Amino acid sequence: MKSLVILISGRGSNMQALLEADLPAGPITVISNNPAAEGLKFARTRGIPVQVIDHRAFPSREAFDTVLAEAIDAHQPDLIALAGFMRILSDRFVNHYRGKLVNIHPSLLPAFPGLNTHIRALQERIKIHGCTVHFVTPQLDHGPAIIQAAVPVLVGDTHETLAARVLVQEHRIYPQAVRWFLQGRLTLADDQVEIEAEGTDYGQEVLYSPGIEP
Ligand code: GRF
């Protein structure tokens, strides 16, 4: 069974969704750059090994990334899942894990890379928003998309209500993508995402239907 390392920085609700998804995974380890990350508590209560590597203890991004990579590699993971990991990773780090590093981002990429996606979505008055699981490449939030889910932006939405609606979908699509990977059905080849499910290669999937509860 394939092993998994999950990187978090805060609340850890996506990590929780992964841990509760009964994934076909071998050993799972959670690593946080933030000793106060809320998500660490849940991981510990589930008996998942956790490790904290506080980025503030390092003089540079590269120095932190080197130690983080050493800690990850000690587990020889097949997949590394960023789940609200709020550090920009160096190109060297990202390239080292090419094809085995995935992220969840709260927008329909390539729209709204970076931070404050829900505030920006409201400012732009878009009607459809959502989230994306993608392979990580050196350009921030630009790696090939694996799966996306869309939600409506409703009259009266605040960035909090919109974020909550998107988060429900994050918790659906992240376990789905990770499950595909762990089952050996999801690969990145020459920058192309390949997904094989039930013997059928059906590529990216969009999970929106108008019936989704707001
Ligand atoms: C999520 O919205 C995720 O898409 C983004 O950061 C947030 C983290 O939330 N990358 P959580 O820590 O998983 O609850």
Side-chain angles (χ1 to χ4, degrees):
M1 290 240 262
K2 291 187 161 61
S3 58
L4 173 65
V5 167
I6 305 172
L7 302 186
I8 66 168
S9 296
R11 181 178 55 182
S13 71
N14 278 289
M15 173 211 72
Q16 186 171 336
L18 291 173
L19 295 179
E20 288 179 331
D22 197 20
L23 294 168
I28 302 179
T29 307
V30 170
I31 300 177
S32 173
N33 66 306
N34 172 13
E38 260 309 284
L40 288 171
K41 290 182 199 154
F42 180 83
R44 287 193 177 108
T45 62
R46 292 290 289 242
I48 303 292
V50 303
Q51 240 172 307
V52 174
I53 303 171
D54 190 339
H55 65 277
R56 292 168 300 187
F58 297 87
S60 66
R61 188 177 302 286
E62 287 70 25
F64 169 70
D65 282 4
T66 299
V67 170
L68 178 62
E70 282 168 8
I72 292 170
D73 290 346
H75 300 286
Q76 298 188 298
D78 295 285
L79 180 66
I80 300 109
L82 306 179
F85 187 67
M86 301 305 285
R87 298 288 303 164
I88 292 175
L89 294 161
S90 58
D91 289 4
R92 188 156 169 258
F93 181 98
V94 170
N95 288 329
H96 179 58
Y97 296 111
R98 193 170 185 84
K100 50 196 282 190
L101 181 61
V102 292
N103 182 43
I104 177 95
H105 183 77
S107 77
L108 291 173
L109 291 173
F112 308 120
L115 296 174
N116 302 320
T117 56
H118 309 303
I119 292 173
R120 287 153 63 206
L122 291 174
Q123 283 168 347
E124 297 288 346
R125 297 174 178 270
I126 58 166
K127 302 298 179 201
I128 302 284
H129 188 40
C131 48
T132 304
V133 180
H134 64 97
F135 280 106
V136 178
T137 55
Q139 195 181 356
L140 184 69
D141 297 331
H142 273 79
I146 298 163
I147 184 169
Q148 296 186 303
V151 301
V153 181
L154 301 178
V155 174
D157 261 340
T158 63
H159 67 89
E160 288 97 348
T161 59
L162 185 54
R165 190 174 310 120
V166 171
L167 195 63
V168 171
Q169 299 307 315
E170 294 186 36
H171 296 165
R172 286 176 71 187
I173 65 171
Y174 211 7
Q176 175 67 81
V178 170
R179 185 180 304 279
W180 280 332
F181 190 97
L182 296 173
Q183 291 171 333
R185 293 170 160 180
L186 167 62
T187 51
L188 181 69
D190 296 332
D191 269 349
Q192 294 294 317
V193 172
E194 290 176 13
I195 303 167
E196 189 194 313
E198 310 297 328
T200 313
D201 185 352
Y202 63 86
Q204 295 171 26
E205 184 187 14
V206 176
L207 282 179
Y208 171 68
S209 91
I212 289 172
E213 293 297 319

